[in-house]
Amino acid sequence: MFDPIIRMMLLTTSKVKNVVARRDETGATAVEYGLLVALIAAVIVVAVGVLGNKVNHSFNLIVNALP
């Protein structure tokens, strides 16, 4: 039915697909989560730095306005 070369190509292709499907990607996932955590931490640090001074200034205005 199939030519022997085509049969060999189909078997090789299915073996490659199985190897690719079984590879362990837990390390890559951990690295991706680590990068996300680092990015979130950087955003928090920048937000606190920018908004911290504004909030402090607003509280000082309120405290000074109280009798």
Side-chain angles (χ1 to χ4, degrees), residues 18-29:
N18 287 338
V19 168
V20 170
R22 282 187 278 148
R23 73 176 173 208
D24 184 20
E25 295 186 0
T26 55
T29 304

Side-chain angles (χ1 to χ4, degrees), residues 3-64:
D3 187 46
I5 294 175
I6 294 175
R7 182 184 299 173
M8 186 176 64
M9 288 174 54
L10 290 173
L11 288 174
T12 304
T13 305
S14 67
K15 287 180 183 178
V16 169
K17 286 181 183 177
N18 287 338
V19 168
V20 170
R22 282 187 278 148
R23 73 176 173 208
D24 184 20
E25 295 186 0
T26 55
T29 304
V31 170
E32 291 166 357
Y33 282 130
L35 289 172
L36 282 172
V37 168
L39 179 64
I40 291 169
V43 168
I44 290 171
V45 167
V46 169
V48 168
V50 170
L51 296 176
N53 289 333
K54 292 181 181 180
V55 171
N56 190 21
H57 179 69
S58 298
F59 280 130
N60 285 334
L61 286 176
I62 293 170
V63 167
N64 291 334

